[in-house]
Amino acid sequence: MNLGLVPGEDVDGFWRRVAGACADWLSEQGLPLRDAVLLLPFAQQIAPARRAFAARGGWAPLITTTNSLASSLGPSRLAAPGQISQDAAIDAFTAEGLLAHQSWAQALRANDEKAYVAARARLVETAHALARGAVQRPLPARDAFFELARERLQLQAGGPGDLECASGLVAVAWVATDDRRPTTDALFDQRPSAWLVLQVGGPDPLAQALMNQGVPALCLQADVDLDSAVVTGVDLRLATAPDFESLAEQAATAVLQHLNAGRTPVALLAQDRVVVRRVRTLLMRQRVPVQDETGWTLATTPAAAALMALLRAMLAQPTLDDWLAWLKSPLGAVWDATALRELEALCRRKGWRSTGPLDALGLPLWREAREAAAPLAGGARKLGGWLADLGRVLRRLGPLTGVEGGEELLNALWISRNPWEGSAHEQVIGATKLRPDEFLAWVDATLEGGQFSPPEDAQAAVVITPMARALLRPFGAAVLPGVDAATLAASPPRNGVLSDADAQALGLPHLAAQREAQAWAFAQLLRLPAVTLLRCSHAGAEPLPPSPLLERLEAAWGQALPTWQDERVAAPLARLPATRREAVPACLPAALSASSIEALRNCPYQFFSRSLLGLREPDELEVELDKRDYGTWLHDVLKRFHDHRSGDDLADLRAAADIEGERLDAADFLPYRAAFERVLPRYVSWLAETEGAGQRFEAGEVDKRCQPFDGALAGLALQGRLDRIDTTPQGTLLLDYKTGKAAELRDKLKAPLEDTQLAVYALLMGADPALQAAYLALDEPDALKLVPHEAVSDTALVLRDGLQADLSAVLGGAALPALGEGRVCDYCEARGLCRKDDWA
């Protein structure tokens, strides 16, 4: 019986028509209504169906779903050791035992451990898909189902997918040898007066099988052909947003507009989960009660994030960032917050990336954290042992039950409960031995497979639900963000190693069926009073076309959808232009360096923030090495080389590089070590040439301090570290190593008064007129280049006089304005303080 769209009919009216059709057909067949069973696709449809039959009065059929009815007929048998439990993380270890006897699997494991783990996961996925397909068939038909699966896999053997076929055959054997009788088998033994099956969103294979068991049956076909649908009685609107945030804001606005119009409850269809999560946040800010029926992966909850931070710190190859992530998580709430901030500040100040320095330092908080997590230290152990030790750690750190997702996490990981006696879970937990990295991967897989659903609000005005579960429910309106070609598209079903053609032949979910079911679900929205569809016009810079389903709907209607009207009122904002910032410092620092003087010359406000306020951006602990790190390392290498030079310069320089490189991450530093190998012979060659001309290394990395000012500034010192001091026949030579280009240094020294660094170093050396200074460019492709600063002492004296005047004015109350331009501002950490981007 076909139940199409009726103009002006609401969802409650549709259910009354269903009730009438069932009663009339049973009356015609002379079958009692009270002994019939009405099977619905989803449990959420039971309530409106019952209301419709209650409105008719008299007897009603049993209204249920196939799963609910099967569960009411008796419990399912637990998975025994070796059987499929439908828990992917547990079944992976059962599959491990099956693959232990497969030569191809062991060869794959020996050659590529990661490929083996991926193949094992695909085997489990295939077995789960076949198990789901098998229970939808009556027992006599299952042997033929398994035989067809074997035939299709064997036909593909010997080709490029040979390993996949072998894995698939193991999965077939695994499922076929499971002697448990699923609870759904009891449905085939039932003999109601009639099966009444409502088909919406595509056929239900199990319900279809029940209709072929000799019991009178009526199929109520409620699916609507999208290409021939008559769009009447529905307020259908389309909104187009330029970007993600606009899409989320418009979707939240559309929900509020429906609520203000009295259309409740509103279905917010979770086709694009990222957008819907943002919409949910916007609605919660407006204090709209929201019920989320979709939930989210347990791994994304705060409890899971805290637990994984703890496990990564103990079981992976942790950095200091991993430890701090745990200590600052909800599991670190037991630590003193002040002590934790001080510990983190110390690590950032020292630039520590590993835990070694903290272990040696022995701070109380660090020692307590190590002791608290100590049960997880050590090598491989049974999975049950891991879980017991993890439970002990969690009990010491405090319960996760107060953290969102905490109770579900403890339950999923078998910490707050015990596995059933004689079950597959008990066998795996008690017998499987895991290395630390394997236990970490198992926890991650378990949390990824778990679901978390927030507590339901019985009075929710908005219900977040998938489009397939919104079918035939009495919503006042629906809002569907993401009707674009990328989002509103059928996703390939997960059938493991089975191809789409295999799945279609076996009656398993396949892509064509998924597309058809999605089109049927989309067409069911036309039964609601109002529907707002929203899409993005662009994905980044790329245009994003509308979904084909939207185009099919417009073709059936014969016109473009009306444009949704955004009823938000633009709130005028008064312009508050910022002015150029100026600071009037009350004092000067006790000492200045070349970098602080450079900041003063670049931008007085930058000098104020860095040298007077002492502001610094906190350094990341876990960052890749950059050229600055390479320069620091190179300075240390050259100093060690000259201090311990024995005669074989190439060997001595390599030895110095090896010693200084021990404190760096070898993998991160590899590109820079390769660059140094190119510098090494050029440096030795340059050194031999200069020493042949009488130049000699005198000292390296020399700390100097002086007081070149007078008057009120007499107590102000200059300080700095000189890279290298050489003696030459012409006198003392200051050298500063540079890993930049010589051409850039020459351009800088075309105006000598613009060079601050060598001028400051000359002041530190007393500004001797005979002093020479130069930059030594180390990274030139052919040879090292010397870039001299001519008459550096004269520049130094001019710099001193300028600083005397400028700093005296500052002491006299002169302001330090924000005067930086160009590259000075591009990477300045004080840009947010001077608010340059907001200046009028």
Side-chain angles (χ1 to χ4, degrees), residues 234-238 258 477-480 525-526 528-533:
V234 55
D235 183 8
L236 197 57
R237 303 281 174 175
L238 174 65
H258 288 309
V479 175
L480 173 56
L525 297 178
L526 301 177
L528 298 178
V531 178
T532 304
L533 307 174

Side-chain angles (χ1 to χ4, degrees), residues 356-634:
L358 282 177
D359 291 333
L361 199 58
L363 296 175
L365 184 148
W366 183 254
R367 188 171 60 252
E368 291 173 13
R370 281 285 199 187
E371 291 173 357
L376 293 173
R381 67 200 79 167
K382 298 289 180 62
L383 177 55
W386 279 114
L387 295 177
D389 292 336
L390 179 57
R392 281 197 291 274
V393 172
L394 293 179
R395 283 191 292 274
R396 174 167 179 176
L397 295 175
L400 277 171
T401 51
V403 183
E404 189 175 45
E407 293 184 4
E408 291 81 0
L409 178 146
L410 296 174
N411 189 62
L413 293 178
W414 300 93
I415 294 175
S416 62
R417 58 173 178 155
N418 295 319
W420 305 281
E421 186 177 353
S423 66
H425 288 79
E426 183 188 53
Q427 189 270 335
V428 166
I429 291 173
T432 305
K433 191 172 184 178
L434 299 178
R435 301 189 307 265
D437 61 307
E438 292 174 326
F439 175 66
L440 180 62
W442 178 82
V443 172
D444 185 52
T446 301
L447 298 181
E448 284 290 342
Q451 284 293 115
F452 171 74
S453 297
E456 293 187 1
D457 188 337
Q459 304 298 322
V462 178
V463 178
I464 300 175
T465 188
M467 187 165 61
R469 280 166 53 181
L471 307 181
L472 304 179
R473 295 172 65 182
F475 290 115
V479 175
L480 173 56
V483 288
D484 54 71
T487 306
L488 192 58
S491 57
R494 300 180 60 180
N495 291 317
V497 301
L498 299 173
S499 67
D500 199 60
D502 293 333
Q504 189 168 4
L506 292 168
L508 299 177
H510 56 278
L511 191 55
Q514 299 282 83
R515 291 196 185 102
E516 195 171 34
Q518 189 175 63
W520 282 329
F522 185 70
Q524 290 296 322
L525 297 178
L526 301 177
R527 296 188 186 275
L528 298 178
V531 178
T532 304
L533 307 174
L534 306 100
R535 73 177 185 90
C536 259
S537 60
H538 288 77
E542 295 295 325
L544 191 58
S547 167
L549 295 180
L550 182 60
E551 294 177 331
R552 289 169 61 183
L553 177 60
E554 290 182 329
W557 199 5
Q559 60 181 350
L561 296 186
T563 301
W564 171 76
Q565 298 300 319
D566 191 341
E567 297 178 0
R568 286 179 292 176
V569 178
L573 298 177
R575 290 176 57 85
L576 297 174
T579 57
R580 187 185 297 268
R581 291 292 187 264
E582 290 186 349
V584 182
C587 61
L588 291 174
L592 297 177
S593 64
S595 60
S596 62
I597 294 173
E598 183 76 14
L600 177 63
R601 302 183 76 186
N602 286 334
C603 174
Y605 196 84
Q606 187 183 80
F607 168 78
F608 169 73
S609 68
R610 290 181 182 176
S611 298
L612 300 183
L613 296 183
L615 301 181
R616 293 288 186 276
E617 286 184 315
D619 294 329
E620 292 292 336
L621 293 176
E622 184 59 26
V623 293
E624 294 182 356
L625 296 175
D626 57 19
K627 198 159 187 177
R628 182 176 178 180
D629 297 308
Y630 170 58
T632 302
W633 172 82
L634 193 54

Side-chain angles (χ1 to χ4, degrees), residues 42 124 267 345 378 440 513 620 658 718 784:
F42 298 107
V124 172
L440 180 62
E620 292 292 336
D658 291 338
L718 289 186
L784 274 61

